[in-house]
Amino acid sequence: ATHEGCLITASGTFTITIPNSLAVGTEIEIMNYGTGTITVKAASGVTLNGTSAGSKTITERYTSAVIKAITATAWVIQGAIS
């Protein structure tokens, strides 16, 4: 919740997990500021729409994706994802 409305910049290879405890309408931008791969995935019980496998990656340097809570357990991801 402390990242609501924020830009998270990350460098390296790691995973960001979306919890099921954030408010509807929460929006967070995640930017790959380095050369690693950032994986965005849904926690157990959370649906990440915009993906067929439950996770997406941000691989290109200086690109970003936005995640937004549509319901308490459903999120949408949009942006430079693969």
Side-chain angles (χ1 to χ4, degrees):
T2 60
H3 294 103
E4 159 66 26
C6 291
L7 168 65
I8 297 172
T9 58
S11 181
T13 299
F14 56 91
T15 300
I16 294 174
T17 303
I18 303 169
N20 62 2
S21 59
L22 299 177
V24 173
T26 297
E27 190 171 294
I28 301 168
E29 183 175 2
I30 303 163
M31 176 186 286
N32 186 345
Y33 198 71
T35 58
T37 297
I38 300 168
T39 301
V40 180
K41 74 172 197 163
S44 178
V46 176
T47 301
L48 180 57
N49 295 297
T51 175
S52 60
S55 68
K56 284 291 187 179
T57 58
I58 307 169
T59 58
E60 296 295 321
R61 189 173 193 185
Y62 306 125
T63 60
S64 63
V66 174
I67 56 173
K68 184 165 187 167
I70 304 304
T71 71
T73 59
W75 288 72
V76 171
I77 187 168
Q78 300 173 322
I81 52 178
S82 55

